[in-house]
Amino acid sequence: MANKFTKTFLNGLVNENPTFRLVLGMCPTLAVTTAVSNGLGMGLATTFVLVCSNFVISLIRNFVPSKVRIPAYIVVIATFVTVVQMVLEAFLPALSESLGLFIPLIVVNCIIFARAEAFAAKNDPVSSIADGLGMGLGFTCSLTVLSAVRELIGAGTLLGFPVLGANYPGVLLFVLAPGGYLTLGLTMVAFNAVMGKIDAKRAARQAAAEGSVA
Amino acid sequence: MSTMSVSLSPHVRSDNSTQKIMRNVIFALLPAAVFGVVWFGLSALLTLVLSCASALLAEFLMVKALKRPFSLNDGSALVTGLLLGLTLPAGCPWYVPVLGSVFAICIAKQVFGGLGDNFVNPALAGRAFLLASFPVAMTSYPTSRFMADAVSSATPLSSEFAGSLSYADAFLGLMSGSIGEVCKLALLLGGIYLVIRQIIDWRIPVAYLATLALLTALTGGNALDAVLLGGSMLGAIFMATDYVTSPVSPWGRVVFGIGIGIINFAIRAFGAYPEGVTYAILLMNIASPLIERFTRPKKYGEVKKNA
């Protein structure tokens, strides 16, 4: 059980990383990763919604007729998004302001839909929590990495602290929309290059192991 | 390589090679570059050297990293670096030409497959990158060391001092602007040389500049100002005629030039930028495969399908 939990969790974090592997949720990824605080905040908000909605949808998966399942998912997801929005407005008004419309838009975030449809609707609640947690944190990590690159190159700061010195001329493009596409593409190249090497190594090891068994 | 390829006639023989074309383009750019260096001083030379050197270095490293055949000797990276440098204001901070060239070569050219596979002109992509990244450094044009009483301005196109500039001065390049765009005479000489050597097609620059002038005149603007002040001449002769990113068919080239003229006019008349040559050419670069498709010349003996 614990093993399965970890496996599902790691699957979302790395192997099926929603940003770099599934290429889901591109709209918030490109839009909010202008500063580390935004990326991190967006990721954590999505993680919360994802874990809760996965859990609830998995609980009700046997009662909801399949014809009305999408509206039912939306009601569940929208409930948690409303909770997140109210909490952010109350306790982190600055973050809530800078994320703006993208918080309510979590309702239609395709990562959440994809996980509800592809995982929570078919699996038990505990695995669904693991999946939500893995996918959510995978999304959070990707957003944090992307926004760190963009904030560092674009403004020379990290989380608002000047890292590259006061004389660093910010490469403004990286905080603008084209910089989002550029950073996403180049980071995805790096991620896939590293993952490809790891996969190849794993496959080689497996082949060797199978060979010795035979 | 012992692969033989069979192709249909006519078999046109030409001694044009990439090296030869690039050598000619560099030769044609020299008058404008030399004038820029004389006019703006050593800071202009430094900017040009930085942009060329970093373009060559970026090409070398990128080709090595991507395991592509050595390509520095074809001269295309040098042309990109030189063209980019000529569109910059003299004496801009060192990282402007360096980052611009690196972006042009690494992102706009090599990531898409190297020379021949880039879908936009690398030098202009580099310039667009710089324009979005360093808007202040990119639009602070210095005055010449020979112009004691002149004011430094954003671009002569947008400032009121354009009125005090005589057309002769603008044509000879006795004005402020980016290194390579000021001397229209030098650009024109280079352009005529390239047309005579059949390196570039006159249709693109002529269609572009004529459209721009006509639209400006029709809307009550000054057609000569539109062509002589700013970078449209440099763009028309050296950027829009890039082989890789412009159509091949003669009518396609006319359409391409007219398109650049219309977009450039629209940006100047309705947009936020006083210049707009860069974006006009980049947008038409993207449209050129489409133009190509609609302006395919008729094959000899071809019959219309629905005749």
Side-chain angles (χ1 to χ4, degrees):
Chain A
M1 187 69 205
N3 190 23
K4 194 186 162 205
F5 189 91
T6 336
K7 212 171 171 185
T8 316
F9 173 72
L10 283 180
N11 180 51
L13 200 61
V14 186
N15 283 348
E16 287 189 19
N17 184 294
T19 308
F20 296 130
R21 275 294 165 96
L22 304 183
V23 202
L24 287 175
M26 286 297 108
C27 181
T29 305
L30 291 167
V32 305
T33 54
T34 49
V36 176
S37 55
N38 288 353
L40 197 61
M42 183 71 196
L44 290 178
T46 312
T47 306
F48 170 78
V49 175
L50 196 51
V51 170
C52 296
S53 68
N54 258 10
F55 177 64
V56 172
I57 287 167
S58 169
L59 281 180
I60 60 169
R61 70 185 190 281
N62 294 326
F63 315 117
V64 180
S66 82
K67 272 187 184 165
V68 293
R69 68 184 194 284
I70 300 288
Y73 296 164
I74 293 183
V75 172
V76 171
I77 296 166
T79 310
F80 291 113
V81 172
T82 313
V83 171
V84 167
Q85 193 179 4
M86 286 175 162
V87 168
L88 282 183
E89 270 171 14
F91 297 105
L92 295 165
L95 183 65
S96 160
E97 192 135 307
S98 62
L99 291 179
L101 190 63
F102 288 95
I103 290 296
L105 279 178
I106 297 178
V107 177
V108 287
N109 188 315
C110 47
I111 300 174
I112 294 173
F113 264 108
R115 293 334 284 177
E117 181 81 358
F119 199 92
K122 295 172 189 156
N123 289 286
D124 61 276
V126 179
S127 317
S128 299
I129 290 182
D131 181 69
L133 214 52
M135 284 287 163
L137 291 181
F139 186 58
T140 310
C141 290
S142 323
L143 287 197
T144 311
V145 168
L146 290 178
S147 50
V149 172
R150 289 180 68 183
E151 191 181 333
L152 191 67
I153 301 180
T157 61
L158 274 180
L159 275 169
F161 296 107
V163 181
L164 297 178
N167 289 330
Y168 178 75
V171 185
L172 208 55
L173 186 92
F174 277 85
V175 230
L176 301 173
Y181 286 93
L182 261 179
T183 315
L184 177 65
L186 295 177
T187 318
M188 206 180 274
V189 167
F191 185 88
N192 283 341
V194 173
M195 285 305 288
K197 279 216 174 108
I198 293 175
D199 284 350
K201 225 175 248 174
R202 198 181 288 158
R205 207 184 305 136
Q206 211 157 26
E210 272 165 20
S212 69
V213 166
Chain B
M1 284 295 207
S2 60
T3 354
M4 240 203 312
S5 61
V6 180
S7 65
L8 293 174
S9 63
H11 303 284
V12 180
R13 284 188 56 87
S14 156
D15 60 345
N16 263 351
S17 64
T18 309
Q19 277 118 313
K20 196 179 158 202
I21 291 166
M22 295 298 168
R23 210 164 43 231
N24 274 311
V25 172
I26 292 171
F27 184 69
L29 277 170
L30 277 182
V34 169
F35 179 88
V37 171
V38 172
W39 184 237
F40 293 111
L42 279 178
S43 61
L45 185 65
L46 183 70
T47 304
L48 290 181
V49 168
L50 278 174
S51 70
C52 290
S54 38
L56 289 171
L57 189 66
E59 173 99 354
F60 176 70
L61 293 176
M62 211 48 194
V63 161
K64 201 148 207 188
L66 294 171
K67 301 189 179 72
R68 295 208 174 113
F70 181 78
S71 61
L72 283 193
N73 51 353
D74 71 12
S76 63
L78 188 60
V79 167
T80 298
L82 186 59
L83 275 176
L84 178 74
L86 289 176
T87 66
L88 301 176
C92 52
W94 63 269
Y95 50 80
V96 171
V98 171
L99 288 180
S101 284
V102 168
F103 184 89
I105 296 292
C106 296
I107 306 288
K109 186 177 171 194
Q110 289 297 342
V111 163
F112 288 94
L115 181 69
D117 289 318
N118 47 306
F119 73 109
V120 289
N121 184 322
L124 283 179
R127 186 180 147 75
F129 164 79
L130 293 175
L131 214 51
S133 296
F134 311 106
V136 178
M138 281 297 286
T139 48
S140 318
Y141 293 108
T143 50
S144 164
R145 49 210 182 109
F146 301 115
M147 293 163 73
D149 57 339
V151 271
S152 175
S153 70
T155 157
L157 265 179
S158 67
S159 67
E160 58 286 353
F161 111 107
S164 65
L165 198 66
S166 78
Y167 288 122
D169 282 355
F171 185 70
L172 291 173
L174 311 178
M175 58 189 282
S176 89
S178 64
I179 300 170
E181 74 178 21
V182 284
C183 186
K184 313 302 168 319
L185 176 66
L187 290 170
L188 214 54
L189 284 177
I192 291 170
Y193 170 76
L194 288 181
V195 169
I196 291 174
R197 297 296 302 263
Q198 294 191 316
I199 303 288
I200 64 169
D201 190 342
W202 57 271
R203 289 180 181 87
I204 295 174
V206 169
Y208 164 29
L209 294 176
T211 310
L212 178 65
L214 191 70
L215 286 175
T216 312
L218 283 179
T219 51
N222 188 328
L224 268 176
D225 271 4
V227 175
L228 284 181
L229 308 178
S232 39
M233 202 82 110
L234 176 64
I237 296 171
F238 290 100
M239 309 279 197
T241 52
D242 175 20
Y243 284 174
V244 182
T245 53
S246 62
V248 178
S249 61
W251 279 109
R253 287 178 170 169
V254 174
V255 173
F256 181 77
I258 292 175
I260 298 174
I262 293 173
I263 298 175
N264 193 0
F265 167 76
I267 293 176
R268 284 185 183 176
F270 315 113
Y273 289 99
E275 180 62 276
V277 178
T278 309
Y279 298 117
I281 301 178
L282 282 175
L283 283 170
M284 288 312 285
N285 280 169
I286 299 170
S288 70
L290 203 64
I291 298 173
E292 200 94 89
R293 190 193 294 179
F294 288 114
T295 54
R296 253 203 346 231
K298 222 166 97 174
K299 282 183 212 125
Y300 179 68
E302 187 178 281
V303 182
K304 250 192 197 165
K305 260 192 192 132
N306 304 323

